[in-house]
């Protein structure tokens, strides 16, 4: 078995579990250490696959006859292919190339996209060939909300249930904080993947399907802070200090953004860095993403990006004392779509706390 970055083998895993490093500088950051064990590899591979807690995870796995408990087996079944990076697993007897298997350019198993968004098949039938040669990004897409990747005009878009991405996008755009942009999905875009029952449920709970364009590519990968923290632990480095060194201004802007949005979901897989796949080097922070759990109603949300125990407010106050980011544009904005008057007032109150 081999781990590859595109067509370049970087790790050889022998039958006895011995791991031989072939290209240290381009290993995944979570594996970038001198001695890699088989257990290390299994943990890395298992962490690539969807959590059973994700919406419709059971339905996705059942449709492909995959284990609900053995995430390593799931990873091997889909070659570990992801849209977050260009790593993949090639087992004995597999003669495929990166050009043949990568998710960035090859067609998806559309029935899995349907299940990811609706929980059931609507129009596409699972062929025996598709079950045997699994080709879908849904098995390695993280997060808990219902979502699915759709290719449109040669580009890839992640459609998800998460209306609060829209006001978060509007606010972060006004504050000029780099982030992934979202828009409301059109009826035409999702009609082939959403069942009428699912559409009615989404409308009945006041939710919306939104989408964003893929921000990684076969040339540029996402390295989550979770992976980066593991890497730093191998070499006695402080991951927070190292993150600040990379781009202190962005790091502080993230603290301010999370306070303004009252975002309680900036966990270690929801922020990180971009890696150049040719060099294996980090190029900087990735844009902020995943804000569908923002605008929570309770106070004193704890920061998940500060090194010490701080609330979002305390972390943002500290950041603003250094940046003095201009927040006045929020005062002249109209209330963003999907926010109640109470939620928008709370945003403006949090803004004033930093003035």
């Amino acid at each position: 078995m081999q781990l590859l970055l595109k067509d370049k083998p970087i790790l050889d895993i022998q039958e006895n579990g011995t791991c031989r490093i072939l290209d240290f500088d381009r290993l995944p950051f979570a594996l970038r250490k001198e001695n890699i064990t088989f257990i290390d590899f299994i943990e890395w591979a298992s962490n690539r696959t969807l959590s059973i807690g994700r919406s419709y995870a059971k339905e996705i796995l059942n449709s492909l006859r995959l284990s609900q408990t053995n995430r390593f087996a799931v990873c091997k079944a889909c070659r570990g292919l992801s849209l977050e990076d260009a790593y993949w697993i090639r087992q004995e007897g597999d003669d495929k190339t990166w050009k043949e298997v990568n998710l960035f350019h090859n067609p998806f198993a559309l029935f899995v996209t349907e299940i990811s968004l609706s929980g059931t098949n609507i129009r596409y039938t699972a062929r025996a060939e598709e079950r045997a040669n699994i080709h879908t990004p849904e098995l390695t897409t993280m997060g808990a909300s219902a979502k699915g990747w759709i290719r449109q005009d040669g580009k890839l878009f992640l459609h998800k249930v998460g209306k609060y991405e829209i006001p978060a996008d509007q606010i972060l755009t006004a504050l000029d904080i780099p982030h992934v942009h979202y828009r409301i999905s059109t009826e035409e875009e999702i009609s082939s993947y959403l069942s009428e029952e699912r559409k009615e449920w989404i409308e009945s709970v006041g939710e919306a399907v939104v989408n964003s364009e893929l921000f990684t590519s076969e040339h540029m990968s996402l390295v989550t802070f979770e992976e980066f923290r593991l890497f730093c632990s191998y070499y006695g480095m402080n991951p927070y200090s190292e993150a600040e060194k990379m781009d202190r201004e962005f790091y502080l802007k993230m603290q301010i953004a999370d306070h303004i949005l009252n975002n309680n979901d900036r966990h270690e897989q929801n922020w990180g860095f971009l890696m150049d796949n040719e060099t294996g080097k980090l190029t900087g922070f990735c844009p902020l993403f995943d804000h569908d759990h923002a605008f929570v109603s309770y106070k004193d949300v704890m920061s998940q990006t500060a090194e010490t125990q701080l609330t979002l407010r305390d972390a943002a106050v500290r950041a603003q004392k250094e940046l003095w980011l201009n927040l006045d544009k929020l005062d002249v904005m109209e209330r963003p779509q999907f926010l109640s008057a109470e939620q928008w007032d709370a945003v403006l109150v949090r803004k004033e706390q930093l003035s």
Side-chain angles (χ1 to χ4, degrees):
M1 184 187 304
Q2 286 187 325
L3 174 63
L4 298 91
L5 179 58
K6 297 170 72 172
D7 273 320
K8 173 71 173 178
I10 57 176
L11 184 68
D12 187 60
I13 302 96
Q14 300 176 14
E15 289 186 5
N16 63 2
T18 302
C19 296
R20 183 166 62 94
I21 297 172
L22 305 176
D23 187 343
F24 181 87
D25 292 335
R26 296 205 290 173
L27 284 168
F29 269 76
L31 291 177
R32 204 170 289 188
K33 59 181 184 176
E34 293 183 6
N35 297 306
I36 302 173
T37 68
F38 187 50
I39 297 300
D40 293 329
F41 176 70
I42 289 176
E43 289 181 354
W44 173 82
S46 299
N47 285 336
R48 290 176 73 74
T49 61
L50 78 173
S51 165
I52 198 64
R54 173 179 157 183
S55 294
Y56 302 132
K58 290 179 180 291
E59 288 81 357
I60 293 170
L61 294 170
N62 287 344
S63 73
L64 295 167
R65 298 188 177 183
L66 294 174
S67 171
Q68 294 185 16
T69 57
N70 189 338
R71 296 175 72 183
F72 181 53
V74 173
C75 188
K76 289 193 296 181
C78 67
R79 295 189 173 95
L81 288 162
S82 169
L83 286 172
E84 290 189 355
D85 55 45
Y87 293 111
W88 62 295
I89 297 169
R90 185 163 61 193
Q91 300 182 71
E92 292 294 327
D94 187 352
D95 60 357
K96 297 292 185 180
T97 65
W98 171 251
K99 183 178 180 179
E100 293 174 293
V101 303
N102 82 81
L103 296 172
F104 296 99
H105 302 296
N106 289 294
F108 301 155
L110 297 181
F111 77 95
V112 185
T113 305
E114 282 187 319
I115 296 171
S116 295
L117 282 167
S118 272
T120 185
N121 289 97
I122 308 169
R123 295 175 177 83
Y124 301 105
T125 303
R127 302 192 304 271
E129 179 185 351
E130 288 180 310
R131 292 187 191 276
N133 187 29
I134 298 170
H135 203 254
T136 175
E138 307 306 341
L139 292 174
T140 51
T141 298
M142 300 296 110
S145 61
K147 61 193 70 177
W149 288 98
I150 298 175
R151 197 184 305 273
Q152 184 177 352
D153 299 327
K155 298 179 180 179
L156 286 166
F157 296 86
L158 181 63
H159 293 254
K160 61 185 285 190
V161 178
K163 66 180 181 181
Y164 286 136
E165 299 288 7
I166 301 301
D169 184 356
Q170 294 174 10
I171 290 169
L172 295 179
T173 298
L175 298 180
D176 196 27
I177 297 176
H179 64 285
V180 173
H181 293 285
Y182 288 83
R183 62 183 178 86
I184 301 173
S185 301
T186 66
E187 177 72 18
E188 181 181 6
E189 288 171 328
I190 60 175
S191 60
S192 296
Y193 300 93
L194 278 182
S195 64
E196 287 302 318
E197 180 183 16
R198 182 66 172 157
K199 289 180 189 176
E200 291 174 4
W201 179 86
I202 291 171
E203 292 174 3
S204 70
V205 297
E207 264 293 354
V209 179
V210 301
N211 72 84
S212 61
E213 186 176 353
L214 178 68
F215 65 85
T216 55
S217 70
E218 60 177 332
H219 309 294
M220 193 69 68
S221 293
L222 170 66
V223 177
T224 66
F225 184 75
E226 180 180 64
E227 297 173 274
F228 182 70
R229 180 179 54 77
L230 276 174
F231 167 75
C232 289
S233 71
Y234 304 148
Y235 301 98
M237 297 187 297
N238 183 315
Y240 298 94
S241 298
E242 296 300 318
E244 288 188 49
K245 289 178 188 176
M246 202 172 306
D247 188 339
R248 183 170 176 80
E249 181 177 344
F250 184 94
Y251 181 74
L252 296 177
K253 282 184 176 181
M254 179 169 58
Q255 313 279 344
I256 293 171
D258 283 342
H259 170 62
I260 295 292
L261 301 179
N262 211 28
N263 177 26
N264 73 346
D265 198 37
R266 186 77 65 203
H267 56 76
E268 293 186 344
Q269 290 185 335
N270 268 356
W271 64 289
F273 316 94
L274 293 174
M275 182 190 82
D276 184 327
N277 290 338
E278 290 302 314
T279 64
K281 296 184 182 299
L282 299 180
T283 62
F285 280 87
C286 69
L288 298 181
F289 63 93
D290 207 347
H291 298 108
D292 56 332
H293 289 281
F295 309 107
V296 294
S297 59
Y298 54 90
K299 299 178 181 179
D300 298 324
V301 177
M302 298 304 295
S303 171
Q304 297 178 72
T305 60
E307 180 180 2
T308 57
Q309 289 289 317
L310 295 173
T311 63
L312 292 182
R313 177 181 177 178
D314 290 341
V317 166
R318 185 178 63 177
Q320 182 67 342
K321 284 181 179 178
E322 180 174 332
L323 285 186
W324 287 109
L325 192 66
N326 184 3
L327 307 177
D328 292 340
K329 291 182 180 179
L330 297 183
D331 292 326
V332 296
M333 278 182 64
E334 293 186 6
R335 172 159 51 99
Q337 188 176 7
F338 297 124
L339 287 191
S340 66
E342 182 180 7
Q343 287 173 313
W344 182 232
D345 287 343
V347 169
L348 297 179
V349 167
R350 291 192 291 272
K351 174 259 180 186
E352 288 300 319
Q353 290 172 345
L354 303 183
S355 299

